[in-house]
Amino acid sequence: MNLERVRQAYGSVADLYIELFGTSQQVHADDLAFIGRHLSNRSGTVLDLGCGPGHITNYLRSLGVDAQGIDMVPEFIAHARAAHPDGRYQLGSMAKLDVANHSVAGILAWYSLIHLPPQDLGGVLDGFRRVMAPAGTLVVGFFDGDEVGAFDHKVVTAYRWPVEEFSARLALAGFTTVEHRRRPGDGTHRPHAMIAAIAADG
């Protein structure tokens, strides 16, 4: 994955992205409920990886979660720090997590894995498993599809995944799916899926 290309692509449209997606009110209520249901009961730090403007990190904090946002786009981190000054936001890459082993209680990767080519997903998920405490929770949101495939996302190339295939990839990295939801496309939005998974002990 060309991380620099992704970073530059989002940096170039950061203002528009923030305007369109930068508050929790612009997130589907079912998505917020799913995220909250699986991450609000975590005792310990929850990382929002690819946090963008920081709005979901802030939503988790409003539920009492010790949430920290990490993103590789400076424009997003600057906005998050300004909009949510009580939060914790830092520049970083989910592909190279500078986080101690087994130190976090949960991870949210909400549409932040969509630009990973299929051959790169396993390595990133292995990194998630490395930093996750036993029985920690991972929540992911992604584009649903009948088969794994690339498409022309408005910002930079993205990939869609069948839920079953994504769940199988999670299992290879040491996560067990505990719930998944799908939402069909509606002419304006592409089909969507979300998975909650628990890290195996050990």
Side-chain angles (χ1 to χ4, degrees):
M1 176 178 59
N2 188 334
L3 292 174
E4 181 61 19
R5 181 184 174 209
V6 174
R7 186 196 68 76
Q8 290 180 354
Y10 274 95
S12 70
V13 296
D15 288 344
L16 177 60
Y17 187 96
I18 291 165
E19 179 183 345
L20 293 175
F21 307 111
T23 69
S24 60
Q25 289 77 21
Q26 292 161 304
V27 180
H28 197 289
D30 291 346
D31 297 351
L32 291 178
F34 188 91
I35 292 167
R37 182 162 67 252
H38 289 284
L39 292 175
S40 64
N41 60 352
R42 297 288 86 196
S43 178
T45 299
V46 171
L47 300 180
D48 182 2
L49 299 179
C51 68
H55 52 304
I56 301 183
T57 317
N58 188 63
Y59 168 73
L60 285 170
R61 293 185 68 255
S62 76
L63 300 178
V65 179
D66 179 20
Q68 176 180 349
I70 298 176
D71 203 286
M72 64 180 177
V73 179
E75 292 86 350
F76 285 158
I77 294 299
H79 173 85
R81 288 172 173 168
H84 313 292
D86 294 334
R88 293 186 294 151
Y89 299 93
Q90 67 181 57
L91 280 171
S93 170
M94 63 182 172
K96 298 179 181 179
L97 285 174
D98 185 19
V99 178
N101 292 354
H102 312 305
S103 63
V104 302
I107 290 174
L108 175 65
W110 199 251
Y111 283 86
S112 55
L113 299 170
I114 62 172
H115 301 297
L116 285 172
Q119 66 270 20
D120 293 343
L121 179 64
V124 172
L125 293 178
D126 287 344
F128 289 4
R129 182 64 189 85
R130 175 185 66 80
V131 304
M132 188 83 80
T137 299
L138 170 63
V139 174
V140 296
F142 56 98
F143 293 113
D144 192 12
D146 294 331
E147 60 184 13
V148 180
F151 65 93
D152 290 329
H153 186 270
K154 289 182 179 179
V155 181
V156 65
T157 300
Y159 296 83
R160 57 175 65 88
W161 288 82
V163 169
E164 297 78 9
E165 177 64 20
F166 205 105
S167 183
R169 294 294 188 98
L170 290 172
L172 288 173
F175 293 95
T176 301
T177 295
V178 294
E179 185 181 4
H180 75 265
R181 293 288 180 92
R182 308 171 87 158
R183 188 164 59 248
D186 59 9
T188 301
H189 300 93
R190 296 181 177 91
H192 160 81
M194 45 193 154
I195 294 176
I198 300 296
D201 291 340

